[in-house]
Amino acid sequence: MQIVILGAGYAGLRAAIDLDHLLRERKRTDTVILVDQFPYHQLVQVLHHTVASNAPVQDAIYDLAALLRTSGVRFVQGRASRLALHERQVELEDGQRLAYDRLVITLGAETAYQVPGAQAHTLDLRTYEHALRLRAHLIAQFTAAAKTTDPNEQRILLTTAIVGGSYTGCQLAGELAAWVDDLCRETGAPRTQVRIALIERGHLLLQEFGSWATREAERALDALGVSVYLDTAVESVEPQTLRVEGKRVLRAATLVWAAGVKGPDLLRESGLPVDATGHVRTDRYLRVLENPLIFAAGDCAAIPDLVEGQVPATASYAMRQGSHLAETLLAEIEGRSIRTYEPVRLGGLVSLGPEYAVGNPLGVPVSGYPAVLMKKGIESWYRSTLTVKA
Ligand SMILES: Cc1cc2nc3c(=O)[nH]c(=O)nc-3n(C[C@H](O)[C@H](O)[C@H](O)COP(=O)(O)OP(=O)(O)OC[C@H]3O[C@@H](n4cnc5c(N)ncnc54)[C@H](O)[C@@H]3O)c2cc1C
């Protein structure tokens, strides 16, 4: 059989590594092809460190060819542009076509820009490239602020507005607030003019964790100097300008959009069943509805869950779905029946700067430095899984 896995993120890479291991254990010679637009696996969970810390920027990526060198997985770098469902082929932007017997879609999510001007005038943070661009942009604004004596211009150059108070927005705001002292020292920008605003349309930050986490997050971000605006909906974006309800205006040279996600357009365009936000709909086996040869997992998928309605989109779920798919694909190859996917609820942790985190690992609310240590431990554990077993 030929298995094609699209996307080498948390779900896709895990599926590829685990399936390869299972096949080699059984001395099977089925082909596993892993496709990604980038030559590296990105640790999306640490991209806010890449943007705004002195950690080596390369910490967030792993070279896929090197990682898979001793495996039987064939890595193809390319951007999937079309799924030819009737021909059972995937088309890449460079014209390559990959035939499949089973297809796995683990392409992650894309940023959804819900208001006019947001796409054109904001930066986002979903990939390593985005992180490098945002870092370079911030350094350029701070450097420019050091060169001007006009206080109004300085203030705009040194203001960052982040729209969206979930994982991405909170973690970026916290990390950036802790980094600006170093950035001001290095660039000569005046520290007193620096402003960081975190803007959330709803009345809770980190709403997936509940109101206690909101209070913790607000307190921690406030201590770092971040101004949090809840119940504040951005209506439109212009260059260096956010217009919020009531026609108030916020001027900022750095605007970051972290306020919504959608499934990749490719899925809808290829005729797969998608929900209102473009996520591909699966059954509880992670099989795409009406497409028995195609499976999907991670942030691009809408997976039904008896408890929460839909399985949450986080790295921990994505990775475990990848492992589940490896077992499923082996069963398909061996002609056995497949098992339903049962989400394991491990909770989550969100960093708010380098010295504070909040979350509910295994359902237990934790905050402060112990939560930071837990988060670091999980990250180290994840890094340790990025190896191919002999
Ligand atoms: C800044 C940030 C911080 C986060 N922090 C946390 C956290 O602390 N904890 C947590 O649990 N979750 C966190 N998340 C969410 C978590 O990162 C996602 O849930 C997780 O990445 C989903 O894994 P995935 O495999 O579905 O997608 P991804 O990891 O996004 O992987 C998708 C892959 O598909 C590739 N791809 C996309 N389109 C194409 C194409 N057309 N052709 C070829 N390849 C393509 C991409 O290059 C990528 O490698 C965070 C997200 C962000 C943005």
Side-chain angles (χ1 to χ4, degrees), residues 7-12 35-38 42 44-45 47-48 78-80 106-108 125-126 167-168 171 266 297-299 313-316 318 349 375:
Y10 290 87
V35 181
D36 202 283
Q37 59 189 333
F38 299 123
Q42 337 175 68
V44 181
Q45 291 189 72
L47 288 180
H48 48 286
R79 189 169 164 79
T106 46
L107 290 170
L125 182 58
R126 298 209 61 79
Y167 269 88
T168 307
Q171 298 195 123
L266 160 73
D299 283 14
T314 72
S316 124
L349 285 160
K375 191 160 170 58

Side-chain angles (χ1 to χ4, degrees), residues 1 16 102 107 130 191 207 228 286 303 379:
M1 246 193 211
R102 296 290 183 278
L107 290 170
H130 293 155
R191 178 68 181 87
Q207 61 170 336
V228 176
L286 305 182
I303 302 166
E379 188 193 314

Side-chain angles (χ1 to χ4, degrees), residues 245-294:
E245 280 167 342
K247 308 292 172 230
R248 276 183 297 147
V249 161
L250 176 70
R251 306 287 318 276
T254 305
L255 301 173
V256 181
W257 197 260
V261 292
K262 60 174 185 166
D265 292 339
L266 160 73
L267 305 179
R268 185 181 34 80
E269 288 162 6
S270 301
L272 291 175
V274 294
D275 68 6
T277 48
H279 295 85
V280 64
R281 296 178 60 213
T282 75
D283 60 18
R284 292 184 57 226
Y285 297 88
L286 305 182
R287 209 167 28 192
V288 173
L289 299 187
E290 301 146 29
N291 289 269
L293 306 183
I294 306 182

Side-chain angles (χ1 to χ4, degrees), residues 108-330:
E110 294 176 357
T111 303
Y113 300 94
Q114 303 96 334
V115 307
Q119 183 157 10
H121 305 301
T122 64
L123 295 159
D124 61 357
L125 182 58
R126 298 209 61 79
T127 67
Y128 179 64
E129 278 187 356
H130 293 155
L132 294 183
R133 195 177 312 146
L134 182 50
R135 182 182 180 89
H137 175 88
L138 283 161
I139 293 171
Q141 307 317 302
F142 277 62
T143 305
K147 290 191 181 134
T148 175
T149 48
D150 176 348
N152 283 336
E153 199 185 336
Q154 272 181 338
R155 193 176 171 110
I156 294 172
L157 285 166
L158 296 176
T159 301
T160 301
I162 301 165
V163 184
S166 193
Y167 269 88
T168 307
C170 286
Q171 298 195 123
L172 177 62
E175 208 64 38
L176 179 58
W179 186 52
V180 287
D181 284 343
D182 285 351
L183 195 51
C184 287
R185 215 172 299 121
E186 281 160 23
T187 57
R191 178 68 181 87
T192 50
Q193 293 278 48
V194 175
R195 301 279 182 282
I196 301 168
L198 179 62
I199 298 162
E200 165 58 44
R201 182 171 49 179
H203 55 278
L204 294 180
L205 290 179
L206 300 174
Q207 61 170 336
E208 49 276 62
F209 295 97
S211 54
W212 71 272
T214 302
R215 284 192 300 277
E216 287 288 321
E218 274 195 76
R219 212 169 41 76
L221 290 173
D222 184 59
L224 287 166
V226 176
S227 308
V228 176
Y229 299 90
L230 296 176
D231 295 309
T232 304
V234 172
E235 286 180 342
S236 65
V237 188
E238 289 151 34
Q240 299 197 336
T241 307
L242 292 181
R243 285 192 186 277
V244 294
E245 280 167 342
K247 308 292 172 230
R248 276 183 297 147
V249 161
L250 176 70
R251 306 287 318 276
T254 305
L255 301 173
V256 181
W257 197 260
V261 292
K262 60 174 185 166
D265 292 339
L266 160 73
L267 305 179
R268 185 181 34 80
E269 288 162 6
S270 301
L272 291 175
V274 294
D275 68 6
T277 48
H279 295 85
V280 64
R281 296 178 60 213
T282 75
D283 60 18
R284 292 184 57 226
Y285 297 88
L286 305 182
R287 209 167 28 192
V288 173
L289 299 187
E290 301 146 29
N291 289 269
L293 306 183
I294 306 182
F295 296 84
D299 283 14
C300 69
I303 302 166
D305 178 21
L306 297 176
V307 179
E308 300 187 62
Q310 194 165 304
V311 178
T314 72
S316 124
Y317 287 101
M319 183 187 175
R320 283 167 183 84
Q321 287 158 15
S323 284
H324 181 85
L325 277 180
E327 302 272 354
T328 297
L329 291 162
L330 181 70

Side-chain angles (χ1 to χ4, degrees), residues 47-127:
L47 288 180
H48 48 286
H49 297 156
T50 308
V51 175
S53 79
N54 294 327
V57 290
Q58 295 270 344
D59 273 8
I61 52 170
Y62 284 77
D63 182 272
L64 282 163
L67 187 65
L68 298 168
R69 193 169 36 88
T70 56
S71 77
V73 177
R74 189 178 136 211
F75 172 59
V76 174
Q77 189 191 338
R79 189 169 164 79
S81 54
R82 196 172 81 89
L83 309 179
L85 303 180
H86 293 300
E87 293 115 294
R88 287 196 208 161
Q89 287 186 354
V90 175
E91 220 173 271
L92 305 186
E93 248 171 25
D94 64 7
Q96 272 191 83
R97 281 178 155 251
L98 300 170
Y100 63 82
D101 297 301
R102 296 290 183 278
L103 177 65
V104 175
I105 302 173
T106 46
L107 290 170
E110 294 176 357
T111 303
Y113 300 94
Q114 303 96 334
V115 307
Q119 183 157 10
H121 305 301
T122 64
L123 295 159
D124 61 357
L125 182 58
R126 298 209 61 79
T127 67

